[in-house]
Amino acid sequence: MEVLEYYIDLKFKYQQADKILISKQEIAAILFCSSRNAHYILQKWIEKGYVAWKGQRGRGKKSTLTFLKPLDEAALLHVENLVKKEKVKEAVNFVKQSNFSSSLKENLLSTIKNAFGIQHIDNQEEMNDILHMPCQHSMYNMNPFFVTIATEAHILNEVFDTLVRYNPVSKTIEPHLAHGWEVNEDYSIWTFYIRKGVRFHDGKTLTSKDVQWTFQSLINGGIDIPNKWLLEGIQDITIQNKYIISFHLKDGNRVFSNFLSAIFTSIIPIGYDINSSILIGTGPFKIDFVNDKKIVLKAFEYHFQGRPFLDQIQMWKLPETNLNPLNFFTHDNLGKDKTKGLTYTIYDNGSNYLIFNMKKSGAHQSCFFKQAVSEMIDSRKMVQDLGGAREAPSTSFIPSKSDYKNMKHSTIKAKQLLNKSKYKGEIIHLAALRFEDFLEDANWMAHKLKEIGIKVKVHPIELADIYNEDFMLSFDAVYTGEGFEDNIELAILILLRNEYGIRRFLSPSQLDELDKGFNAIIKQPNFEGFLQVFQAVEEKLKEDGTIIFTVHASEQDTFQSNLQGIHISGYGWPIFQKLWIKKE
């Protein structure tokens, strides 16, 4: 502990006193340290002007200690010092674990929050614009082939590039690392023309060999990546020359270009191990530093689309707090005048839902039980009761396809179904992501189910827990959400095939239905047919209550008036590469 923190401990014990009678032995006992250390700490307090000390000689006599710094000032100074030393996690823990008043805690957290956002450093030698932001979980595995969480995917999209990219405005696949491509009539041979002069972060130039190495490593590497299905149809990869490469597919695939726009098909340099926790790409930002507490991304000077304006992005893993990662440049940092910012409504391109674990035995294996639960979860009532970011009740993963108008819920019918299920009062263990809205939803559902005698225990889980299959499969049900990216076609295909998503909880027969749907979907000649097949698959999951949709969410954020180039990705975050700051 630092001497200031020791001072705070003593001052907290004597909050109402400006002056106390105390001995050095008593100080040592309060601070849980030796008498020698207490003497050293006291001398430091005097040097720094925290206290005045009037000693008394003689056994049994106490000295006079006068507090010169109020508790709130001392706590604030300590937090500021920790933040300056980049000990942000320690600062948050100090506030959370203290017994300060709620108003002082709020003030201290606000001080920590001010350390985040876009900061401009201007001196004679250099000018730097640095984005500081909090993270909700550790992201030390900076590998695009294993990503399955939306936040990670957004960040890794700034570090890695793919052959093609989806344009959310034109709703088409466009050139990226490849400046063009050709495909034969039956969609079985796709030929890509690689841009010249594209550099990796280590300075090497991208060629067809890097593309071939990446895909062959993924296909033949013997590793279990979450979305390896994207590559299942590739039969051969042939290099025609340094900048031309062809993919030969076993069967024609109209949506193969969508596959190659996924973050899971990012291109890495030849020779790199795809199992590595840290890889390099060609993206606008490169990884400068990473551990389980902090990630630093640095602008890549030679990105083929131009250097980004931001010089650095620093992300800090913090303990659970009310610090919203999006608030690093939103209205909470605008100061008193919040009218100058630009307001964006960010819609969740997906849905929240409850899914039962069909791989675990229990009451939920009965379709009557699941249907009883479905009857009690009236999403329209959830939106009315809880409000907040809940934009609308949901009946589908796709917001535009949700139709709640004709949905009816009956407690009487729910009880009848529950009686048929032979439920015997056992506790249903429900996991829910440790976010305020998700936990509110889960507790609301638990309260509603209690009305018909179903006992539910809600277990908060972390985002990182998603990667722990045994842990996730220990619950009877999970309450989570699916945030689709801009490319709806690709998002649906990932939903159907990603082993870390809904597939993890389904029975073998349900998985067969998903796979049949997937194979039918990729053969559809157009998007309308694509959606029809998907909705049929979705309906089968809803019929017996395995999946119960709840709400579509949205969030309204007012961004700083000097922040320009705001483009919101399908993951709900501004694209860092496009941000720039207008000096005011």
Side-chain angles (χ1 to χ4, degrees):
M1 289 176 64
E2 298 183 8
V3 292
L4 180 54
E5 197 169 355
Y6 280 120
Y7 174 80
I8 293 167
D9 285 349
L10 185 66
K11 179 57 181 167
F12 185 82
K13 183 174 177 63
Y14 298 100
Q15 288 186 61
Q16 307 304 319
D18 294 326
K19 186 182 296 186
I20 59 173
L21 293 174
I22 194 169
S23 68
K24 290 181 181 178
Q25 289 75 17
E26 287 174 318
I27 292 175
I30 293 170
L31 302 182
F32 298 102
C33 65
S34 64
S35 297
R36 182 178 180 182
N37 199 30
H39 176 77
Y40 168 80
I41 291 169
L42 179 60
Q43 292 302 119
K44 285 294 182 182
W45 287 348
I46 296 169
E47 287 176 20
K48 292 180 177 292
Y50 298 160
V51 301
W53 176 263
K54 187 175 181 181
Q56 293 289 336
R57 294 184 178 275
R59 178 171 294 184
K61 291 186 177 180
K62 296 186 178 183
S63 301
T64 302
L65 184 148
T66 304
F67 294 104
L68 301 179
K69 186 173 284 293
L71 178 63
D72 57 348
E73 288 184 18
L76 183 62
L77 178 60
H78 181 56
V79 166
E80 288 175 345
N81 288 340
L82 288 174
V83 170
K84 285 178 183 177
K85 295 176 181 177
E86 297 191 342
K87 295 182 178 181
V88 183
K89 182 176 180 179
E90 289 84 347
V92 174
N93 279 329
F94 169 74
V95 177
K96 284 173 61 67
Q97 294 169 11
S98 69
N99 293 314
F100 298 143
S101 66
S102 57
S103 59
L104 179 53
K105 278 189 174 183
E106 186 176 338
N107 189 28
L108 294 175
L109 281 175
S110 178
T111 300
I112 296 171
K113 194 173 186 179
N114 289 336
F116 296 106
I118 296 178
Q119 300 175 8
H120 178 72
I121 301 172
D122 192 354
N123 56 45
Q124 292 181 347
E125 295 182 1
E126 59 181 348
M127 292 172 57
N128 282 313
D129 292 283
I130 302 173
L131 170 60
H132 299 261
M133 55 178 283
C135 285
Q136 296 164 322
H137 66 288
S138 297
M139 291 190 300
Y140 50 86
N141 190 350
M142 300 292 284
N143 186 317
F145 308 121
F146 291 90
V147 64
T148 191
I149 296 172
T151 305
E152 292 177 344
H154 177 89
I155 292 169
L156 290 174
N157 263 319
E158 307 276 354
V159 178
F160 298 92
D161 287 313
T162 48
L163 289 175
V164 295
R165 279 267 170 104
Y166 179 77
N167 185 325
V169 178
S170 64
K171 299 187 184 303
T172 58
I173 300 295
E174 293 184 344
H176 198 55
L177 288 179
H179 60 72
W181 68 90
E182 295 173 346
V183 59
N184 66 349
E185 289 184 3
D186 67 354
Y187 298 99
S188 63
I189 302 176
W190 294 72
T191 300
F192 292 86
Y193 298 85
I194 311 300
R195 293 183 190 274
K196 294 181 179 180
V198 175
R199 293 193 194 183
F200 286 103
H201 297 152
D202 62 0
K204 294 177 182 176
T205 303
L206 169 72
T207 70
S208 297
K209 288 185 178 180
D210 299 296
V211 178
Q212 185 186 55
W213 166 270
T214 299
F215 283 94
Q216 286 186 338
S217 297
L218 291 170
I219 294 168
N220 304 322
I223 58 170
D224 186 21
I225 60 174
N227 287 286
K228 198 168 185 175
W229 58 269
L230 288 163
L231 316 170
E232 287 175 353
I234 300 175
Q235 192 170 37
D236 194 17
I237 305 169
T238 58
I239 292 175
Q240 296 188 31
N241 65 33
K242 192 174 182 179
Y243 297 106
I244 303 176
I245 190 167
S246 295
F247 292 83
H248 301 261
L249 310 184
K250 298 171 187 175
D251 299 299
N253 183 351
R254 180 187 66 83
V255 295
F256 185 65
S257 58
N258 281 272
F259 287 16
L260 299 188
S261 71
I263 183 66
F264 323 107
T265 61
S266 297
I267 307 302
I268 62 171
I270 187 170
Y272 272 73
D273 181 5
I274 59 173
N275 287 293
S276 175
S277 61
I278 301 176
L279 292 169
I280 67 170
T282 59
F285 290 92
K286 60 182 180 180
I287 300 169
D288 192 49
F289 174 82
V290 59
N291 63 16
D292 60 345
K293 295 180 181 179
K294 180 183 178 183
I295 299 171
V296 178
L297 303 182
K298 188 176 181 180
F300 182 44
E301 300 283 345
Y302 306 105
H303 189 250
F304 70 94
Q305 290 183 326
R307 183 199 192 279
F309 177 88
L310 293 177
D311 297 289
Q312 253 188 36
I313 300 170
Q314 295 190 13
M315 291 164 280
W316 299 82
K317 167 66 174 72
L318 299 185
E320 182 189 351
T321 67
N322 61 355
L323 291 178
N324 183 342
L326 276 178
N327 283 346
F328 44 71
F329 39 42
T330 56
H331 57 83
D332 290 318
N333 283 334
L334 288 173
K336 294 181 179 179
D337 187 1
K338 298 184 180 182
T339 61
K340 292 183 179 180
L342 297 173
T343 299
Y344 289 75
T345 299
I346 302 170
Y347 296 98
D348 187 356
N349 213 8
S351 176
N352 294 352
Y353 62 94
L354 181 148
I355 184 167
F356 284 101
N357 179 8
M358 303 311 294
K359 291 180 179 175
K360 182 185 178 186
S361 61
H364 62 280
Q365 288 289 341
S366 166
C367 63
F368 296 119
F369 178 87
K370 289 178 287 185
Q371 289 165 358
V373 173
S374 184
E375 279 293 325
M376 291 304 295
I377 299 177
D378 184 345
S379 299
R380 187 160 36 203
K381 190 75 168 62
M382 180 186 285
V383 172
Q384 291 172 354
D385 289 352
L386 300 179
R390 299 162 187 86
E391 177 72 18
S394 168
T395 61
S396 171
F397 282 109
I398 305 172
S400 62
K401 297 299 178 181
S402 271
D403 182 8
Y404 214 82
K405 293 177 183 177
N406 300 318
M407 294 291 290
K408 294 181 180 179
H409 293 265
S410 167
T411 301
I412 295 174
K413 185 178 178 181
K415 289 180 178 178
Q416 292 171 344
L417 288 165
L418 188 62
N419 288 334
K420 289 182 180 180
S421 75
K422 299 180 181 179
Y423 171 68
K424 298 178 180 178
E426 54 266 45
I427 295 175
I428 303 301
H429 294 276
L430 172 62
L433 289 173
R434 195 189 292 275
F435 298 128
E436 184 177 352
D437 288 350
F438 280 90
L439 291 177
E440 284 180 353
D441 290 356
N443 287 316
W444 184 92
M445 289 186 285
H447 177 75
K448 295 298 292 183
L449 294 175
K450 188 178 180 181
E451 293 178 11
I452 61 170
I454 298 177
K455 300 174 183 176
V456 177
K457 182 175 181 180
V458 177
H459 300 265
I461 62 171
E462 307 295 339
L463 269 174
D465 291 331
I466 291 172
Y467 294 110
N468 187 337
E469 183 167 0
D470 290 340
F471 178 71
M472 295 301 295
L473 290 177
S474 68
F475 299 103
D476 301 302
V478 176
Y479 185 62
T480 181
E482 192 71 39
F484 283 174
E485 58 173 292
D486 292 314
N487 187 344
I488 296 296
E489 283 186 277
L490 178 61
I492 288 173
L493 294 172
I494 291 172
L495 173 72
L496 295 176
R497 294 301 300 272
N498 182 9
E499 297 298 333
Y500 285 85
I502 63 174
R503 292 180 67 88
R504 168 184 278 167
F505 305 104
L506 301 182
S507 67
S509 61
Q510 289 172 320
L511 289 174
D512 286 342
E513 290 294 335
L514 246 63
D515 291 339
K516 288 177 184 176
F518 175 86
N519 292 329
I521 280 174
I522 62 174
K523 293 177 182 177
Q524 295 303 307
N526 53 50
F527 186 56
E528 289 71 24
F530 184 104
L531 282 184
Q532 285 179 6
V533 176
F534 172 68
Q535 286 183 279
V537 173
E538 195 177 59
E539 282 301 318
K540 287 187 178 181
L541 292 172
K542 289 163 53 179
E543 275 177 6
D544 72 345
T546 296
I547 284 182
I548 301 172
F549 292 103
T550 57
V551 298
H552 300 295
S554 70
E555 185 170 346
Q556 197 172 77
D557 288 302
T558 303
F559 293 86
Q560 295 177 13
S561 58
N562 66 338
L563 195 65
Q564 305 294 306
I566 298 172
H567 296 265
I568 307 299
S569 76
Y571 302 115
W573 287 49
I575 299 172
F576 304 147
Q577 178 189 5
K578 297 184 178 182
L579 292 176
W580 61 279
I581 302 170
K582 180 176 70 176
K583 299 299 182 288
E584 294 182 338

